């Protein structure tokens, strides 16, 4: 449940790494009826919990805005399956896509244009002539935007294929900077470019919203930079209070969802909010506030997800805990079970006490909360239940409870797979915002997302958060249950495309899935994260491709022998090249994650790594890539080594404040600043435009970058020596 960690190391954010005036006017959730009704048909298996408190609990699971547009983020669908299997009354809502569709609706756009006109006067003073002209162009085309938006979204969701021809003709289709770029000098498109043009209209609107009514808005994230830089939770609260989009689109949506689920008597209502990325945090805060207003103290508000598990692991910000009752870490199953037991046992005890006016005979309230952080009853500091070393040694009962939840967590990690049967795939948009085939694959297909394994089977890369549970706890999932979940979703939605998220797919599980898939009447098509290690032989790649594997994404990080060594990537440059060649020979698309600015990495090594990337793209050994600036993190192996005294040259800079604490700085990191623009522009030209003939020095024309070294590595020679060209 991400509550899991599809989050930080992988996925789209690595690539680039909404009240209105009349609430139900701006969006409707006809499909949410399907959600509720759909759930009735699924089995519910009550199972006893540790303390015997097993009341059916009302649970509302929300994916706050904004995540990827093409498919549901899996967290709430994992959780929903888990809670329903235990007999709870679970209601999952992907409020991210619901909110986005309300924004990109005729009524939504009218409201946005109205607000934009209101604020236009105050903003004009800060805008230059070009921007003012651009804004005026939007206002001039307001009717075109409002008339075409729903047809454009219907087209991108696969509902109205014929609209492609309207897009190609272009009459009545509004135009901004993004659409002009797609139209090009010819001023028109071929029919195959219709998805790109439709996407560009949404991106133009996104620019307009950001430039007028809400600077935090992006279609796949909201105000992402604020959590990254905030030293206190108050900054996040201010962002929520000042967000026109969240206040006017998300707030009425939340009111509608919560009013669909009134609380029964004084029964608690569990509200689970998944924050896989920092760009979902502001909306999660609003959801928590809204839940509190609807349910009062009966709302048990739990915040989880990859961002929470990584960045809020040791937070001591008390304001945060006035908005959320619990933070749940890692898989989240153990945390949820322990919280439910704790809440229900406390309620039972209070009820028994009120009924008998005597000492209650109900069992003791479980004291062990697993994988959870909450505000201590004394109101002083958040209390922490350590994940590995509870008070167990002194308290056998505590130890028994803790062990119970740990076992349940591990069991669920293996057995629970997201159940998408109640998801509404008609709402998701097939985005095409890049000519690169690998980037297109990422965004233009409604993938069903699953996890093949939890944690990493390598666990040693120096830059990686290897001290965190979702990396260091390696556990395979139950493949027969996984296949059943895939089968169920395919049967419901007629979707056979699978995206395996989170950490690397283990090669042997890919082999067995491919073999099973080959014998299926209707095989699945799949892709996912991998490690470029030597297990990927030519034979395995061919077998995997024949069994449905179409693309892989994985970390090269530093494409030099020395670089791979200093980060302890676990394969040599030669092994990497052979592995890439094996994938290419099998016809499998490859995306590479790259980093630069690792402490101690020389400028020459960055230049050589970039040159190797250029040649890999030129030779078709990789199809796309993305550079990440190295960030030192608290839970990385490198920081662990520093703490152990074995990294004498590293000088971490610790953040001040009580909020997110995982990202650290280090002495000397600014030395790598000039590389950001160089590497980003080089990669855009090489991977998106196919201009691999342009050398790295072509992109070093800025003042800051003139002192950067040019590559010395003879990349082609290394490829020949590896026997891959
Ligand atoms: S392969 Fe390396 S970077 Fe990837 S999850 Fe494992 S340890 Fe982390």
């Amino acid at each position: 449940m991400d509550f899991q960690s599809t989050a930080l190391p992988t996925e789209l954010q690595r690539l680039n790494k909404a009240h209105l005036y009349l609430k139900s006017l701006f969006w409707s959730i006809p499909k949410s009826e399907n959600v509720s009704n759909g759930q009735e048909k699924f089995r519910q298996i009550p199972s006893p919990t540790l303390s015997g408190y097993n009341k059916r609990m009302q649970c509302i699971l929300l994916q706050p805005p904004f995540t990827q547009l093409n498919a549901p983020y899996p967290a709430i669908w994992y959780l929903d399956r888990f809670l329903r299997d235990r007999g709870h009354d679970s209601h999952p809502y992907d409020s991210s896509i619901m909110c986005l569709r309300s924004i990109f609706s005729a009524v939504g756009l009218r409201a946005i244009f109205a607000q934009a006109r209101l604020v236009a006067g105050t903003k004009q003073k800060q805008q230059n002539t070009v921007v003012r002209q651009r804004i005026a162009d939007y206002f001039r085309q307001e009717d075109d935007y409002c008339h075409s938006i729903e047809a454009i979204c219907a087209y991108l969701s696969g509902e109205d294929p014929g609209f492609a021809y309207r897009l190609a003709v272009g009459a009545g289709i509004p135009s901004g900077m993004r659409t002009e770029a797609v139209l090009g000098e010819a001023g028109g498109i071929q029919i195959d470019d219709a998805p790109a043009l439709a996407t560009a209209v949404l991106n133009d609107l996104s620019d307009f919203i950001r430039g007028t009514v809400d600077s935090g808005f992006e279609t796949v994230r909201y105000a992402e930079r604020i959590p990254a830089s905030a030293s206190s939770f108050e900054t996040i609260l201010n962002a929520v209070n000042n967000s026109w989009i969240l206040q006017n689109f998300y707030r009425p949506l939340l009111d509608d969802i919560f009013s669909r689920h009134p609380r029964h008597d004084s029964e608690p209502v569990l509200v689970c909010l998944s924050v896989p990325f920092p760009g979902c945090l502001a909306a999660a805060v609003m959801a928590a506030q809204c839940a509190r207003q609807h349910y009062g103290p009966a709302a048990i508000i739990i915040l989880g997800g990859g961002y929470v598990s990584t960045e809020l692991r040791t937070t001591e910000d008390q304001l945060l805990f006035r908005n959320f009752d619990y933070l749940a870490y890692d898989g989240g199953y153990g945390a949820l079970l322990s919280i439910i037991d704790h809440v229900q046992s406390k309620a039972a005890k209070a009820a028994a006490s009120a009924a008998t006016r005597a000492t209650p005979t109900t069992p003791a309230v479980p004291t062990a909360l697993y994988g959870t952080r909450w505000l201590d009853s004394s109101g002083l500091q958040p209390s922490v239940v350590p994940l590995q070393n509870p008070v167990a040694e002194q308290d056998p009962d505590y130890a028994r409870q803790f062990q119970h939840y740990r076992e349940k967590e591990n069991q669920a990690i293996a057995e629970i797979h997201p159940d998408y049967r109640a998801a509404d795939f008609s709402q998701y948009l097939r985005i095409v915002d890049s000519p690169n085939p690998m980037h297109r694959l990422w965004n233009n297909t409604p993938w069903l997302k699953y996890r093949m394994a939890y944690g990493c089977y390598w666990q040693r890369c120096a830059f990686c958060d290897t001290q965190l549970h979702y990396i260091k706890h390696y556990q395979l999932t139950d493949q027969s249950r996984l296949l059943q979940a895939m089968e169920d979703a395919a049967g419901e939605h007629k979707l056979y495309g699978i995206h395996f998220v989170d950490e690397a797919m283990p090669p042997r599980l890919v082999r067995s899935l491919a073999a099973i898939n080959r014998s299926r009447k209707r095989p699945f098509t799949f892709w996912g994260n991998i490690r470029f290690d030597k297990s990927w032989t030519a034979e395995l790649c061919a077998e995997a491709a024949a069994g449905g594997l179409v693309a892989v994404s994985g970390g090269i990080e530093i494409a030099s022998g020395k670089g791979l060594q200093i980060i302890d990537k676990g394969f040599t440059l030669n092994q990497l090249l052979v592995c890439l060649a094996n994938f290419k020979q099998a016809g499998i698309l490859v995306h590479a994650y790259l980093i630069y600015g690792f402490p101690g990495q020389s400028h020459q090594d960055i230049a050589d790594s970039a040159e190797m990337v250029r040649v890999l793209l030129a030779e078709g050994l990789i199809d796309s890539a993305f550079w990440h600036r190295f960030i030192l993190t608290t839970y990385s192996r490198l920081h662990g080594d520093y703490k152990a005294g074995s990294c004498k040259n590293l000088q971490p800079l610790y953040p001040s404040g009580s909020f997110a604490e995982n990202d650290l700085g280090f002495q000397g990191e600014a030395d790598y600043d000039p590389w950001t623009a160089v590497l980003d522009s080089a990669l855009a030209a090489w991977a998106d435009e196919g201009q691999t003939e342009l050398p790295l020095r072509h992109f070093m024309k800025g003042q800051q970058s003139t002192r950067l070294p040019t590559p010395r590595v003879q990349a082609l020679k290394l490829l020949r020596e590896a026997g891959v060209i």
Side-chain angles (χ1 to χ4, degrees):
M1 76 193 209
D2 277 314
F3 280 47
Q4 292 159 29
S5 51
T6 305
L8 293 167
T10 58
E11 284 277 312
L12 185 64
Q13 96 285 7
R14 292 205 64 171
L15 267 180
N16 299 318
K17 273 171 337 224
H19 99 188
L20 280 175
Y21 318 106
L22 297 165
K23 67 176 185 184
S24 44
L25 266 184
F26 281 3
W27 63 280
S28 63
I29 34 176
K31 298 291 184 180
S32 70
E33 292 294 343
N34 294 345
V35 168
S36 277
N37 298 337
Q39 286 167 358
E40 303 307 319
K41 69 189 177 197
F42 304 140
R43 74 194 167 94
Q44 295 188 332
I45 307 170
S47 29
T49 54
L50 174 69
S51 309
Y53 307 102
N54 193 31
K55 256 185 131 170
R56 184 176 159 97
M57 197 173 217
Q58 185 167 215
C59 310
I60 299 168
L61 317 178
L62 292 180
Q63 176 56 64
F66 294 101
T67 56
Q68 243 181 302
L69 308 185
N70 61 314
Y73 190 80
I76 59 170
W77 306 99
Y78 273 103
L79 277 179
D80 172 56
R81 181 57 193 243
F82 177 71
L83 291 167
R84 277 193 294 106
D85 277 3
R86 300 187 69 81
H88 294 294
D89 185 19
S90 167
H91 302 273
Y93 290 93
D94 184 352
S95 63
S96 177
I97 196 67
M98 293 162 83
C99 184
L100 190 104
R101 293 296 299 261
S102 69
I103 292 167
F104 290 142
S105 67
V107 179
L109 288 192
R110 283 290 180 206
I112 288 166
F113 273 100
Q115 176 67 12
R117 285 184 198 285
L118 278 178
V119 299
T122 55
K123 294 230 168 198
Q124 267 185 358
K125 293 182 196 118
Q126 306 141 23
Q127 294 163 342
N128 63 36
T129 317
V130 175
V131 173
R132 280 205 295 273
Q133 183 56 50
R134 285 277 173 203
I135 302 282
D137 286 345
Y138 281 104
F139 285 130
R140 186 177 45 76
Q141 298 179 92
E142 175 177 348
D143 285 348
D144 285 342
Y145 278 114
C146 295
H147 287 146
S148 61
I149 189 65
E150 291 185 10
I152 286 171
C153 288
Y155 169 67
L156 285 174
S157 69
E159 198 183 287
D160 183 7
F163 194 72
Y165 294 92
R166 284 284 310 277
L167 286 161
V169 169
I173 305 299
S175 132
M177 271 176 70
R178 314 274 187 154
T179 44
E180 282 162 14
V182 175
L183 294 167
E185 285 176 10
I189 58 162
Q190 299 294 316
I191 198 74
D192 288 348
D193 293 326
L197 189 65
T199 301
V201 175
L202 299 192
N203 288 335
D204 277 331
L205 281 168
S206 187
D207 292 344
F208 175 64
I209 294 170
R210 203 163 40 252
T212 54
V213 300
D214 195 325
S215 60
F217 177 75
E218 290 181 65
T219 55
V220 295
R221 58 184 75 90
Y222 185 84
E224 184 175 63
R225 279 185 293 277
I226 295 176
S229 57
S231 61
S232 101
F233 187 65
E234 201 169 1
T235 315
I236 315 287
L237 284 178
N238 290 338
V240 174
N241 293 335
N242 294 327
S243 166
W244 190 85
I245 282 285
L246 292 185
Q247 297 289 348
N248 289 279
F249 284 87
Y250 194 44
R251 179 64 202 224
L253 171 55
L254 290 165
D255 285 334
D256 195 288
I257 290 172
F258 292 134
S259 58
R260 283 167 183 254
H261 304 286
R263 64 186 258 219
H264 309 305
D265 304 320
S266 57
E267 295 289 333
V269 179
L270 207 69
V271 179
C272 300
L273 305 166
S274 174
V275 176
F277 313 119
C280 301
L281 183 61
V285 173
M286 177 170 279
Q289 294 173 340
C290 190
R292 187 68 71 209
Q293 280 174 7
H294 273 260
Y295 302 121
I300 311 297
I301 303 172
I302 308 175
L303 185 72
Y307 170 78
V308 178
S309 290
T310 307
E311 302 288 331
L312 303 182
R313 200 120 201 149
T314 55
T315 184
E316 294 191 344
D317 198 313
Q318 296 203 16
L319 201 48
L320 176 74
F321 292 95
R322 293 202 195 112
N323 286 266
F324 304 99
D325 295 311
Y326 299 94
L327 303 188
Y329 298 124
D330 305 324
Y333 306 112
L336 262 191
L337 274 190
S338 69
I339 292 167
I340 290 173
D341 279 352
H342 190 77
V343 167
Q344 292 198 337
S345 63
K346 270 207 313 197
K349 193 168 181 165
S353 178
T356 63
R357 294 172 187 276
T359 306
T361 54
T362 47
V365 176
T367 50
L369 281 166
Y370 178 88
T372 309
R373 192 164 174 83
W374 78 104
L375 193 64
D376 187 56
S377 55
S378 68
L380 293 174
Q381 289 289 326
S383 299
V384 183
V385 173
L387 300 182
Q388 298 299 334
N389 182 28
V391 197
E393 279 151 34
Q394 288 91 35
D395 185 342
D397 190 46
Y398 186 109
R400 184 181 62 81
Q401 293 173 34
F402 194 87
Q403 181 60 19
H404 166 82
Y405 295 124
R406 176 153 42 202
E407 284 168 10
K408 292 296 176 194
E409 166 102 348
N410 293 343
Q411 182 184 1
I413 284 171
E415 295 181 355
I416 298 294
H417 297 287
D419 183 345
Y420 290 115
R421 282 176 294 178
D424 182 2
F425 276 86
S426 74
Q427 297 298 297
Y428 296 93
L429 305 177
R430 298 158 194 202
I431 296 300
V432 175
D433 54 5
S434 166
N436 184 290
M438 184 73 200
H439 291 177
R440 288 173 79 113
L441 168 141
W442 219 295
N443 291 320
N444 74 355
T445 302
W447 300 105
L448 298 164
K449 299 189 184 206
Y450 298 95
R451 188 182 58 220
M452 198 177 265
Y454 182 93
C456 171
Y457 64 85
W458 175 245
Q459 311 175 7
R460 286 180 57 178
C461 299
F463 61 90
C464 178
D465 288 334
T466 53
Q467 297 177 62
L468 289 180
H469 185 270
Y470 69 74
I471 301 288
K472 74 177 177 186
H473 178 86
Y474 176 57
Q475 194 179 340
L476 298 179
T477 56
D478 180 318
Q479 200 170 36
S480 61
R481 287 175 187 259
L482 171 62
L483 279 159
Q484 187 60 53
M486 288 158 55
E487 189 74 72
D488 290 345
E492 185 70 28
H493 300 294
K494 306 294 172 239
L495 293 172
Y496 291 82
I498 311 292
H499 179 188
F500 287 109
V501 295
D502 285 356
E503 307 320 325
M505 297 187 290
R508 72 187 166 92
L509 283 197
V510 172
R511 190 188 290 274
S512 75
L513 176 63
I516 294 167
N517 213 16
R518 286 178 83 167
S519 63
R520 283 175 54 87
K521 192 169 162 198
R522 179 75 189 265
F524 294 103
T525 294
F526 66 100
W527 71 289
N529 298 315
I530 55 109
R531 277 179 47 78
F532 294 116
D533 56 36
K534 59 185 182 193
S535 311
W536 292 99
T537 60
E539 174 258 341
L540 175 57
C541 289
E543 221 174 283
L549 179 65
V550 294
V552 294
S553 51
I556 290 178
E557 325 299 359
I558 303 176
S560 72
K562 197 173 166 195
L564 289 169
Q565 209 174 10
I566 62 168
I567 58 171
D568 200 4
K569 195 65 201 169
F571 45 78
T572 64
L573 185 61
N574 195 72
Q575 286 168 332
L576 167 70
L577 296 174
V578 171
C579 177
L580 294 175
N582 291 341
F583 280 116
K584 292 326 290 181
Q585 201 175 359
I588 295 168
L589 290 169
V590 175
H591 172 81
Y593 300 120
L594 305 162
I595 60 172
Y596 66 97
F598 188 81
Q601 184 181 22
S602 69
H603 291 283
Q604 187 62 54
D605 195 50
I606 298 176
D608 289 347
S609 173
E611 168 64 2
M612 180 57 83
V613 168
R614 182 187 72 78
V615 170
L616 291 177
L617 285 162
E619 295 297 321
L621 288 170
I622 60 175
D623 299 281
S624 64
F626 189 77
W627 290 106
H628 297 267
R629 174 80 179 258
F630 168 81
I631 295 173
L632 178 66
T633 55
T634 306
Y635 300 103
S636 64
R637 182 178 145 200
L638 185 64
H639 186 245
D641 289 349
Y642 164 78
K643 285 286 195 189
S646 61
C647 267
K648 301 272 187 255
N649 294 331
L650 182 67
Q651 288 183 293
L653 304 172
Y654 295 95
S656 58
S658 55
F659 189 53
E661 293 178 333
N662 192 37
D663 291 0
L664 311 174
F666 64 93
Q667 287 282 1
E669 64 185 332
D671 290 353
Y672 300 106
D673 287 353
W675 282 107
T676 303
V678 174
L679 295 176
D680 286 351
S681 52
L683 199 55
W686 297 340
D688 292 344
E689 309 299 330
Q691 297 172 325
T692 51
E693 75 285 357
L694 295 177
L696 185 65
R697 70 173 175 278
H698 175 84
F699 305 96
M700 292 179 169
K701 290 180 183 154
Q703 222 179 359
Q704 265 204 313
S705 53
T706 44
R707 58 194 169 85
L708 298 178
T710 52
R712 285 194 204 136
V713 68
Q714 295 186 20
L716 275 171
K717 184 166 172 256
L718 292 174
L719 267 61
R720 276 189 214 104
E721 285 170 4
V724 301
I725 57 169

